[in-house]
Amino acid sequence: MTAPSAVKAALSSQSIETPSWAYGNSGTRFKVFAQEGVPRDPWEKIDDAAQVQRHTGVAPVVALHIPWDKVDDYAALARHAEERGLRLGAINANVFQEDEYRLGSVCHPDAAVRRKALDHLFECVDIMDATGSRDLKLWFADGTNYPGQDDIRARQDRLAEALAAVYERLGEEQRLLLEYKFFEPAFYTTDVPDWGTAYAHCLKLGDRAEVVVDTGHHAPGTNIEFIVALLLREGKLGGFDFNSRFYADDDLMVGAADPFQLFRIMCEVVGGGGLGPGVAFMLDQCHNIEPKIPAIIRSVMNVQEATAKALLVDREALGAAQSAGDVLGANAVLMDAFNTDVRPLLAELREESGLAPDPVGAYHRSGWAEQITENRKGGQQAGWGA
């Protein structure tokens, strides 16, 4: 059994990246719900992210989404983050919200539209240069809705051409992270529908192109931990978008629907050596009806709890049971770890780090929610959709 001190040491080095857009307004496909105190610009999003870091101690990175987080001076935004104990993380491109992209972006049959999309991706690399960001994260809504609508192979050729151009533009310390999603908004073919397609493109690009696993972007019953294990084995797991879903891309708080699945995923991460800095652990969530900052804190805590349980797995006993073909014994080792209440251990870790043992309670007592409700009156709240 792993000693609690070793578990604490591993947890202390964990870094969870929060998404800027989760601090803004979001909603369903039909309605975006506004809340009091929501940030009005990227600067205020970073201020809120600093509160998550203040109370959890393991969320020092904030991902940006362009153009949602567009500013005139990205170096100044990076300094603003640094002054609040944060740094800017992945730059997320957006080639899915303009009329020209109705038939796709980099896979569009029209070369002029493809050029527009590629120029935006180059712009995102320029922003990476200004902010010191390591990762360019790409998700494409490209696909088709009807058989015969476009040439499937030709669209893959266009995708490969665009990815190669972006990869060539990256610096030596920068990475391209390719995300996949098996449907929506394309319902017949999606141009990057699964890990295999993303892996194939990344493999051709080179060592600095890796796959992102969004835990909500899979068909029901998909064994996500198998995908994680395989990509780790191949050195191609670049990062996660952690969220949870009951039906499709629900973007709920991570672990909300299936905490056991999150534990199983983290077991493969721990077993495959994925807790190091090479794998980016980012949240990708839309907090539609719940308060933003407490929900993000809860998600960070859920990832911590799943990680702690995965670290508590008795690997020696597990290996012995597996070698002996002891099916029930091996399963029992995992279940013992999963059923362990790790909250006291995490509370101890936080206190040893000078933090309150209950981050959510500490946030509510801090008065930040009341402060931003009062100070952020007027102006246009940040958010997405109509």
Side-chain angles (χ1 to χ4, degrees), residues 129-146:
D129 295 338
T131 59
S133 298
R134 176 185 65 166
D135 296 333
L136 173 67
K137 190 149 72 63
L138 303 179
W139 172 71
F140 299 104
D142 294 32
T144 64
N145 280 356
Y146 295 96

Side-chain angles (χ1 to χ4, degrees), residues 59 73 88 101 117 150 235 283 299 319:
D73 189 339
L88 300 182
Y101 300 141
D150 201 355
L283 306 179
S299 287

Side-chain angles (χ1 to χ4, degrees), residues 108-362:
H108 198 288
D110 188 331
V113 176
R114 297 199 300 273
R115 182 71 246 179
K116 175 180 178 176
L118 188 59
D119 286 344
H120 172 70
L121 302 186
F122 288 157
E123 175 193 10
C124 288
V125 179
D126 291 339
I127 294 169
M128 293 172 67
D129 295 338
T131 59
S133 298
R134 176 185 65 166
D135 296 333
L136 173 67
K137 190 149 72 63
L138 303 179
W139 172 71
F140 299 104
D142 294 32
T144 64
N145 280 356
Y146 295 96
Q149 178 181 326
D150 201 355
D151 187 305
I152 295 174
R153 289 186 60 177
R155 293 180 72 88
Q156 289 296 311
D157 291 340
R158 299 166 199 155
L159 173 63
E161 182 180 356
L163 292 175
V166 174
Y167 188 80
E168 180 67 24
R169 171 66 182 77
L170 292 173
E172 288 299 319
E173 302 301 320
Q174 295 172 336
R175 303 189 302 174
L176 183 156
L177 302 184
L178 184 58
E179 185 179 350
Y180 59 91
K181 184 175 181 181
F182 79 105
F183 83 107
E184 193 196 35
F187 295 108
Y188 173 59
T189 63
T190 300
D191 291 314
V192 190
D194 52 39
W195 70 269
T197 305
Y199 173 75
H201 281 283
C202 289
L203 192 64
K204 185 169 289 188
L205 289 170
D207 293 340
R208 290 178 292 108
E210 297 181 338
V211 180
V212 171
V213 175
D214 187 310
T215 53
H217 283 190
H218 300 83
T222 298
N223 189 316
I224 300 175
E225 57 267 33
F226 173 83
I227 300 170
V228 169
L230 189 145
L231 290 174
L232 274 171
R233 181 177 182 273
E234 299 299 320
K236 282 294 184 182
L237 179 63
F240 286 95
D241 276 0
F242 276 130
N243 56 61
S244 192
R245 63 121 178 93
F246 288 103
Y247 297 106
D249 182 17
D250 301 352
D251 278 347
L252 299 173
M253 292 190 304
V254 59
D258 190 349
F260 186 49
Q261 181 190 65
L262 180 60
F263 163 74
R264 299 194 309 265
I265 291 170
M266 293 310 302
C267 279
E268 296 304 326
V269 170
V270 171
L275 275 187
V279 178
F281 295 91
M282 196 189 84
L283 306 179
D284 181 15
Q285 301 171 174
C286 294
H287 303 292
N288 302 338
I289 58 175
E290 64 271 37
K292 315 295 181 180
I293 299 174
I296 296 171
I297 293 174
R298 281 279 301 277
S299 287
V300 171
M301 294 171 65
N302 289 348
V303 174
Q304 285 184 294
E305 289 182 17
T307 306
K309 291 181 178 185
L311 287 164
L312 285 173
V313 171
D314 189 333
R315 297 283 168 174
E316 184 176 346
L318 180 63
Q322 290 170 341
S323 297
D326 183 358
V327 176
L328 293 179
N331 177 253
V333 172
L334 285 187
M335 296 310 299
D336 283 345
F338 176 69
N339 289 321
T340 301
D341 185 357
V342 297
R343 291 174 298 176
L345 183 148
L346 285 164
E348 287 180 13
L349 175 61
R350 294 184 187 111
E351 289 183 310
E352 291 167 3
S353 303
L355 303 172
D358 174 14
V360 174

